[in-house]
Amino acid sequence: MKKFVKVLALALVLVLSVSMLAACDGGTSTSGTSNADSGTKVLKIGTNAEFPPFEFMGDDGQPDGFDIALIKAIGEEIGMEVQIENMEFKSLIGAIESGNIQGIIAGMTVDDERKKSVDFSDGYYEAHQMVLVRKDSDITKTEDLNGKKIAVQEGTTGDFVASGDPDWEFILGVSLQNTEVSRMKKGLDAVIELKNGRVDAVIIDSNPAQVFAEENADDIKIVDSIQCETETYAIAVSKDEPDLLNSINTALKTLKDNGKYDEILKQYIEQ
Ligand code: GLN
């Protein structure tokens, strides 16, 4: 009988320890995806998912697009887990400065003014501004934009050009005069202003311009006769993270060399 009790006690201890182990294991496996356990560092990157095909909201409600795929591929290269923070375009630089994010990928053009607040990686894409007008518009040349109502996305290079900012004169070759600029939170809202006749033109980057023109082909068109100078997109990085900037540049080069960059380009832009 004593022996039986002993065996029973031993069995109980065994069962208990196994279930405790299982519980511990369960504990680790739920938090197993967390970064503390896997040792993977999180890379917090800001974007504004209103800029197709570079960034837009996917059908699953998550930011998707060329930039998102590129930064995820960079994250894989440098062994960091990318976490995307979606916010207004004009809030992005401030979010780096306040330490909420470490970097930005948002079709952001390299610019001396922005360089005072952030560092830029090597360029990853060349774009230019485009002018969108209603189909019946008689705007055909740069000078026709003087004195006109122009909608833009707030804080973008299109905004600087429309506002006649002398630093951005090179884009059109002249500074626009007496324009009335409507600054919208999203590029699409600027397009809606144009469609509804509240403004005469939209100035926006070439790729989203093409997407918006295609999607609204019955109402608006690109003014092909107005050609703008090139601007370069790069990833903005906190000035406190020079090592991160170096790693991003190295990863970008690797992805260009190994064909992954071209693959992403084909998937999102050159379809
Ligand atoms: N390339 C433009 C800029 O940097 C627009 C970017 C955007 O709207 N996401 O200002």
Side-chain angles (χ1 to χ4, degrees):
M1 185 65 183
K2 256 190 188 165
K3 202 175 169 196
F4 175 71
V5 172
K6 253 189 188 168
V7 169
L8 198 74
L10 199 72
L12 204 70
V13 167
L14 255 171
V15 166
L16 268 176
S17 36
V18 166
S19 57
M20 268 166 74
L21 263 177
C24 281
D25 196 37
T28 11
S29 63
T30 36
S31 63
T33 47
S34 97
N35 316 296
D37 286 345
S38 63
T40 312
K41 286 200 201 132
V42 170
L43 177 58
K44 276 193 173 184
I45 296 287
T47 197
N48 171 245
E50 301 290 347
F51 196 68
F54 292 93
E55 39 270 330
F56 51 87
M57 274 302 178
D59 295 336
D60 60 355
Q62 297 299 316
D64 192 6
F66 176 86
D67 281 352
I68 309 301
L70 182 63
I71 196 67
K72 283 187 178 161
I74 289 174
E76 258 173 49
E77 280 297 316
I78 64 180
M80 292 181 89
E81 185 198 319
V82 175
Q83 194 176 304
I84 301 289
E85 304 280 333
N86 190 23
M87 62 188 81
E88 280 177 22
F89 186 80
K90 73 167 180 51
S91 308
L92 287 164
I93 298 228
I96 284 199
E97 288 179 308
S98 61
N100 287 343
I101 52 172
Q102 293 151 279
I104 301 167
I105 194 156
M108 185 173 271
T109 302
V110 177
D111 160 38
D112 286 341
E113 196 57 35
R114 292 171 178 164
K115 274 189 192 167
K116 292 178 187 164
S117 310
V118 296
D119 287 334
F120 279 105
S121 71
D122 295 336
Y124 68 83
Y125 195 80
E126 306 266 279
H128 52 93
Q129 296 300 306
M130 279 185 167
V131 178
L132 292 172
V133 294
R134 275 184 306 282
K135 275 199 139 171
D136 59 358
S137 169
D138 46 19
I139 293 174
T140 54
K141 52 188 189 308
T142 307
E143 295 69 41
D144 296 338
L145 292 167
N146 289 328
K148 293 287 192 314
K149 290 183 183 161
I150 304 174
V152 295
Q153 188 181 6
E154 189 172 16
T156 60
T157 44
D159 184 356
F160 309 148
V161 172
S163 308
D165 182 334
D167 288 346
W168 290 86
E169 203 182 281
F170 72 95
I171 294 281
L172 282 170
V174 288
S175 275
L176 295 181
Q177 306 291 321
N178 306 319
T179 50
E180 197 181 302
V181 182
S182 298
R183 298 183 176 84
M184 315 305 291
K185 301 247 177 287
K186 307 175 187 179
L188 182 61
D189 291 345
V191 170
I192 292 169
E193 289 294 283
L194 177 64
K195 276 175 77 174
N196 292 346
R198 286 192 286 269
V199 297
D200 307 299
V202 167
I203 303 184
I204 194 163
D205 295 37
S206 37
N207 296 79
Q210 281 157 346
V211 172
F212 293 140
E214 260 167 45
E215 284 173 356
N216 300 281
D218 290 344
D219 305 304
I220 64 172
K221 62 177 182 187
I222 292 165
V223 184
D224 290 322
S225 46
I226 300 181
Q227 296 285 331
C228 295
E229 279 302 316
T230 304
E231 37 191 285
T232 303
Y233 293 171
I235 299 162
V237 178
S238 162
K239 282 190 178 287
D240 298 334
E241 306 230 33
D243 293 344
L244 177 62
L245 181 68
N246 281 338
S247 309
I248 287 177
N249 279 336
T250 308
L252 204 51
K253 188 171 182 316
T254 305
L255 296 172
K256 280 189 178 166
D257 290 347
N258 70 13
K260 179 78 187 167
Y261 175 95
D262 287 338
E263 208 179 282
I264 301 173
L265 200 65
K266 278 209 187 79
Q267 187 183 345
Y268 288 98
I269 299 180
E270 293 171 358
Q271 287 157 341

PDB file of all heavy atoms in Angstrom, residues 201-223:
ATOM      1  N   ALA A 201      -5.932  73.020 -61.095  1.00  0.00           N
ATOM      2  CA  ALA A 201      -4.875  72.036 -61.369  1.00  0.00           C
ATOM      3  C   ALA A 201      -4.439  71.366 -60.072  1.00  0.00           C
ATOM      4  O   ALA A 201      -4.708  71.863 -58.976  1.00  0.00           O
ATOM      5  CB  ALA A 201      -3.675  72.725 -62.018  1.00  0.00           C
ATOM      6  N   VAL A 202      -3.761  70.231 -60.230  1.00  0.00           N
ATOM      7  CA  VAL A 202      -3.111  69.542 -59.100  1.00  0.00           C
ATOM      8  C   VAL A 202      -1.657  69.359 -59.506  1.00  0.00           C
ATOM      9  O   VAL A 202      -1.377  69.022 -60.656  1.00  0.00           O
ATOM     10  CB  VAL A 202      -3.765  68.155 -58.847  1.00  0.00           C
ATOM     11  CG1 VAL A 202      -2.914  67.307 -57.911  1.00  0.00           C
ATOM     12  CG2 VAL A 202      -5.177  68.314 -58.283  1.00  0.00           C
ATOM     13  N   ILE A 203      -0.739  69.621 -58.566  1.00  0.00           N
ATOM     14  CA  ILE A 203       0.675  69.312 -58.835  1.00  0.00           C
ATOM     15  C   ILE A 203       1.081  68.215 -57.862  1.00  0.00           C
ATOM     16  O   ILE A 203       0.985  68.370 -56.643  1.00  0.00           O
ATOM     17  CB  ILE A 203       1.588  70.552 -58.683  1.00  0.00           C
ATOM     18  CG1 ILE A 203       1.118  71.672 -59.619  1.00  0.00           C
ATOM     19  CG2 ILE A 203       3.045  70.167 -58.987  1.00  0.00           C
ATOM     20  CD1 ILE A 203       1.997  72.920 -59.617  1.00  0.00           C
ATOM     21  N   ILE A 204       1.511  67.102 -58.428  1.00  0.00           N
ATOM     22  CA  ILE A 204       1.796  65.905 -57.611  1.00  0.00           C
ATOM     23  C   ILE A 204       2.842  65.054 -58.320  1.00  0.00           C
ATOM     24  O   ILE A 204       3.030  65.181 -59.539  1.00  0.00           O
ATOM     25  CB  ILE A 204       0.479  65.125 -57.340  1.00  0.00           C
ATOM     26  CG1 ILE A 204       0.667  64.096 -56.226  1.00  0.00           C
ATOM     27  CG2 ILE A 204      -0.077  64.490 -58.611  1.00  0.00           C
ATOM     28  CD1 ILE A 204      -0.632  63.582 -55.620  1.00  0.00           C
ATOM     29  N   ASP A 205       3.497  64.168 -57.569  1.00  0.00           N
ATOM     30  CA  ASP A 205       4.561  63.326 -58.131  1.00  0.00           C
ATOM     31  C   ASP A 205       4.033  62.432 -59.262  1.00  0.00           C
ATOM     32  O   ASP A 205       2.869  62.008 -59.259  1.00  0.00           O
ATOM     33  CB  ASP A 205       5.155  62.422 -57.043  1.00  0.00           C
ATOM     34  CG  ASP A 205       5.857  63.231 -55.961  1.00  0.00           C
ATOM     35  OD1 ASP A 205       5.381  64.317 -55.609  1.00  0.00           O
ATOM     36  OD2 ASP A 205       6.890  62.756 -55.465  1.00  0.00           O
ATOM     37  N   SER A 206       4.949  62.107 -60.181  1.00  0.00           N
ATOM     38  CA  SER A 206       4.582  61.431 -61.423  1.00  0.00           C
ATOM     39  C   SER A 206       3.836  60.103 -61.268  1.00  0.00           C
ATOM     40  O   SER A 206       2.826  59.886 -61.949  1.00  0.00           O
ATOM     41  CB  SER A 206       5.829  61.219 -62.285  1.00  0.00           C
ATOM     42  OG  SER A 206       6.967  60.913 -61.493  1.00  0.00           O
ATOM     43  N   ASN A 207       4.302  59.219 -60.385  1.00  0.00           N
ATOM     44  CA  ASN A 207       3.633  57.906 -60.312  1.00  0.00           C
ATOM     45  C   ASN A 207       2.214  57.982 -59.765  1.00  0.00           C
ATOM     46  O   ASN A 207       1.293  57.453 -60.393  1.00  0.00           O
ATOM     47  CB  ASN A 207       4.478  56.899 -59.522  1.00  0.00           C
ATOM     48  CG  ASN A 207       5.791  56.619 -60.205  1.00  0.00           C
ATOM     49  OD1 ASN A 207       6.701  57.420 -60.106  1.00  0.00           O
ATOM     50  ND2 ASN A 207       5.878  55.527 -60.926  1.00  0.00           N
ATOM     51  N   PRO A 208       2.001  58.669 -58.617  1.00  0.00           N
ATOM     52  CA  PRO A 208       0.601  58.811 -58.189  1.00  0.00           C
ATOM     53  C   PRO A 208      -0.221  59.594 -59.206  1.00  0.00           C
ATOM     54  O   PRO A 208      -1.406  59.286 -59.410  1.00  0.00           O
ATOM     55  CB  PRO A 208       0.683  59.540 -56.839  1.00  0.00           C
ATOM     56  CG  PRO A 208       2.090  59.909 -56.646  1.00  0.00           C
ATOM     57  CD  PRO A 208       2.931  59.147 -57.585  1.00  0.00           C
ATOM     58  N   ALA A 209       0.384  60.584 -59.880  1.00  0.00           N
ATOM     59  CA  ALA A 209      -0.345  61.343 -60.908  1.00  0.00           C
ATOM     60  C   ALA A 209      -0.892  60.394 -61.966  1.00  0.00           C
ATOM     61  O   ALA A 209      -2.064  60.487 -62.364  1.00  0.00           O
ATOM     62  CB  ALA A 209       0.566  62.386 -61.553  1.00  0.00           C
ATOM     63  N   GLN A 210      -0.054  59.442 -62.396  1.00  0.00           N
ATOM     64  CA  GLN A 210      -0.485  58.493 -63.424  1.00  0.00           C
ATOM     65  C   GLN A 210      -1.595  57.585 -62.911  1.00  0.00           C
ATOM     66  O   GLN A 210      -2.559  57.311 -63.620  1.00  0.00           O
ATOM     67  CB  GLN A 210       0.712  57.664 -63.913  1.00  0.00           C
ATOM     68  CG  GLN A 210       1.544  58.460 -64.905  1.00  0.00           C
ATOM     69  CD  GLN A 210       2.983  57.980 -65.011  1.00  0.00           C
ATOM     70  OE1 GLN A 210       3.461  57.219 -64.165  1.00  0.00           O
ATOM     71  NE2 GLN A 210       3.671  58.438 -66.027  1.00  0.00           N
ATOM     72  N   VAL A 211      -1.447  57.139 -61.647  1.00  0.00           N
ATOM     73  CA  VAL A 211      -2.484  56.280 -61.053  1.00  0.00           C
ATOM     74  C   VAL A 211      -3.805  57.044 -60.989  1.00  0.00           C
ATOM     75  O   VAL A 211      -4.849  56.549 -61.426  1.00  0.00           O
ATOM     76  CB  VAL A 211      -2.062  55.804 -59.631  1.00  0.00           C
ATOM     77  CG1 VAL A 211      -3.217  55.082 -58.940  1.00  0.00           C
ATOM     78  CG2 VAL A 211      -0.835  54.899 -59.702  1.00  0.00           C
ATOM     79  N   PHE A 212      -3.756  58.294 -60.474  1.00  0.00           N
ATOM     80  CA  PHE A 212      -4.993  59.075 -60.326  1.00  0.00           C
ATOM     81  C   PHE A 212      -5.594  59.422 -61.697  1.00  0.00           C
ATOM     82  O   PHE A 212      -6.815  59.401 -61.866  1.00  0.00           O
ATOM     83  CB  PHE A 212      -4.738  60.357 -59.521  1.00  0.00           C
ATOM     84  CG  PHE A 212      -4.376  60.109 -58.067  1.00  0.00           C
ATOM     85  CD1 PHE A 212      -3.387  60.863 -57.432  1.00  0.00           C
ATOM     86  CD2 PHE A 212      -5.037  59.125 -57.333  1.00  0.00           C
ATOM     87  CE1 PHE A 212      -3.063  60.639 -56.095  1.00  0.00           C
ATOM     88  CE2 PHE A 212      -4.716  58.903 -55.990  1.00  0.00           C
ATOM     89  CZ  PHE A 212      -3.721  59.655 -55.373  1.00  0.00           C
ATOM     90  N   ALA A 213      -4.736  59.723 -62.674  1.00  0.00           N
ATOM     91  CA  ALA A 213      -5.238  60.063 -64.014  1.00  0.00           C
ATOM     92  C   ALA A 213      -5.934  58.853 -64.641  1.00  0.00           C
ATOM     93  O   ALA A 213      -6.990  58.981 -65.271  1.00  0.00           O
ATOM     94  CB  ALA A 213      -4.104  60.559 -64.902  1.00  0.00           C
ATOM     95  N   GLU A 214      -5.343  57.678 -64.463  1.00  0.00           N
ATOM     96  CA  GLU A 214      -5.952  56.449 -65.011  1.00  0.00           C
ATOM     97  C   GLU A 214      -7.291  56.150 -64.348  1.00  0.00           C
ATOM     98  O   GLU A 214      -8.269  55.800 -65.008  1.00  0.00           O
ATOM     99  CB  GLU A 214      -5.019  55.262 -64.763  1.00  0.00           C
ATOM    100  CG  GLU A 214      -4.203  54.876 -65.974  1.00  0.00           C
ATOM    101  CD  GLU A 214      -3.076  53.930 -65.605  1.00  0.00           C
ATOM    102  OE1 GLU A 214      -3.318  52.973 -64.847  1.00  0.00           O
ATOM    103  OE2 GLU A 214      -1.938  54.181 -66.070  1.00  0.00           O
ATOM    104  N   GLU A 215      -7.295  56.314 -63.008  1.00  0.00           N
ATOM    105  CA  GLU A 215      -8.525  55.988 -62.271  1.00  0.00           C
ATOM    106  C   GLU A 215      -9.657  56.974 -62.541  1.00  0.00           C
ATOM    107  O   GLU A 215     -10.813  56.681 -62.279  1.00  0.00           O
ATOM    108  CB  GLU A 215      -8.230  55.963 -60.762  1.00  0.00           C
ATOM    109  CG  GLU A 215      -7.483  54.708 -60.336  1.00  0.00           C
ATOM    110  CD  GLU A 215      -7.040  54.733 -58.882  1.00  0.00           C
ATOM    111  OE1 GLU A 215      -7.243  55.759 -58.201  1.00  0.00           O
ATOM    112  OE2 GLU A 215      -6.458  53.719 -58.444  1.00  0.00           O
ATOM    113  N   ASN A 216      -9.305  58.184 -63.013  1.00  0.00           N
ATOM    114  CA  ASN A 216     -10.320  59.222 -63.256  1.00  0.00           C
ATOM    115  C   ASN A 216     -10.243  59.717 -64.692  1.00  0.00           C
ATOM    116  O   ASN A 216     -10.414  60.909 -64.970  1.00  0.00           O
ATOM    117  CB  ASN A 216     -10.093  60.399 -62.293  1.00  0.00           C
ATOM    118  CG  ASN A 216     -10.194  59.969 -60.843  1.00  0.00           C
ATOM    119  OD1 ASN A 216     -11.293  59.812 -60.325  1.00  0.00           O
ATOM    120  ND2 ASN A 216      -9.059  59.745 -60.201  1.00  0.00           N
ATOM    121  N   ALA A 217      -9.987  58.776 -65.605  1.00  0.00           N
ATOM    122  CA  ALA A 217      -9.702  59.116 -66.999  1.00  0.00           C
ATOM    123  C   ALA A 217     -10.841  59.885 -67.687  1.00  0.00           C
ATOM    124  O   ALA A 217     -10.598  60.610 -68.656  1.00  0.00           O
ATOM    125  CB  ALA A 217      -9.365  57.852 -67.781  1.00  0.00           C
ATOM    126  N   ASP A 218     -12.060  59.753 -67.203  1.00  0.00           N
ATOM    127  CA  ASP A 218     -13.177  60.473 -67.835  1.00  0.00           C
ATOM    128  C   ASP A 218     -13.145  61.962 -67.522  1.00  0.00           C
ATOM    129  O   ASP A 218     -13.714  62.769 -68.263  1.00  0.00           O
ATOM    130  CB  ASP A 218     -14.525  59.918 -67.348  1.00  0.00           C
ATOM    131  CG  ASP A 218     -14.768  58.532 -67.900  1.00  0.00           C
ATOM    132  OD1 ASP A 218     -14.068  58.157 -68.866  1.00  0.00           O
ATOM    133  OD2 ASP A 218     -15.633  57.829 -67.351  1.00  0.00           O
ATOM    134  N   ASP A 219     -12.517  62.321 -66.402  1.00  0.00           N
ATOM    135  CA  ASP A 219     -12.589  63.715 -65.930  1.00  0.00           C
ATOM    136  C   ASP A 219     -11.276  64.494 -66.000  1.00  0.00           C
ATOM    137  O   ASP A 219     -11.287  65.696 -66.191  1.00  0.00           O
ATOM    138  CB  ASP A 219     -13.048  63.740 -64.461  1.00  0.00           C
ATOM    139  CG  ASP A 219     -14.347  63.001 -64.263  1.00  0.00           C
ATOM    140  OD1 ASP A 219     -15.316  63.353 -64.938  1.00  0.00           O
ATOM    141  OD2 ASP A 219     -14.376  62.053 -63.449  1.00  0.00           O
ATOM    142  N   ILE A 220     -10.148  63.804 -65.786  1.00  0.00           N
ATOM    143  CA  ILE A 220      -8.883  64.554 -65.683  1.00  0.00           C
ATOM    144  C   ILE A 220      -7.796  63.973 -66.596  1.00  0.00           C
ATOM    145  O   ILE A 220      -7.897  62.840 -67.063  1.00  0.00           O
ATOM    146  CB  ILE A 220      -8.369  64.612 -64.218  1.00  0.00           C
ATOM    147  CG1 ILE A 220      -8.027  63.203 -63.683  1.00  0.00           C
ATOM    148  CG2 ILE A 220      -9.373  65.297 -63.291  1.00  0.00           C
ATOM    149  CD1 ILE A 220      -7.333  63.220 -62.323  1.00  0.00           C
ATOM    150  N   LYS A 221      -6.772  64.813 -66.821  1.00  0.00           N
ATOM    151  CA  LYS A 221      -5.656  64.360 -67.678  1.00  0.00           C
ATOM    152  C   LYS A 221      -4.344  64.973 -67.183  1.00  0.00           C
ATOM    153  O   LYS A 221      -4.353  65.969 -66.445  1.00  0.00           O
ATOM    154  CB  LYS A 221      -5.913  64.780 -69.132  1.00  0.00           C
ATOM    155  CG  LYS A 221      -5.989  66.297 -69.293  1.00  0.00           C
ATOM    156  CD  LYS A 221      -6.180  66.729 -70.741  1.00  0.00           C
ATOM    157  CE  LYS A 221      -6.190  68.258 -70.815  1.00  0.00           C
ATOM    158  NZ  LYS A 221      -6.511  68.821 -72.092  1.00  0.00           N
ATOM    159  N   ILE A 222      -3.241  64.391 -67.621  1.00  0.00           N
ATOM    160  CA  ILE A 222      -1.917  64.929 -67.317  1.00  0.00           C
ATOM    161  C   ILE A 222      -1.565  65.930 -68.411  1.00  0.00           C
ATOM    162  O   ILE A 222      -1.825  65.678 -69.597  1.00  0.00           O
ATOM    163  CB  ILE A 222      -0.865  63.786 -67.298  1.00  0.00           C
ATOM    164  CG1 ILE A 222      -1.136  62.848 -66.103  1.00  0.00           C
ATOM    165  CG2 ILE A 222       0.559  64.332 -67.262  1.00  0.00           C
ATOM    166  CD1 ILE A 222      -0.429  61.517 -66.177  1.00  0.00           C
ATOM    167  N   VAL A 223      -0.993  67.094 -68.012  1.00  0.00           N
ATOM    168  CA  VAL A 223      -0.540  68.057 -69.025  1.00  0.00           C
ATOM    169  C   VAL A 223       0.860  67.631 -69.474  1.00  0.00           C
ATOM    170  O   VAL A 223       1.868  67.963 -68.854  1.00  0.00           O
ATOM    171  CB  VAL A 223      -0.506  69.501 -68.460  1.00  0.00           C
ATOM    172  CG1 VAL A 223      -0.138  70.495 -69.562  1.00  0.00           C
ATOM    173  CG2 VAL A 223      -1.832  69.878 -67.822  1.00  0.00           C
TER     174      VAL A 223
END
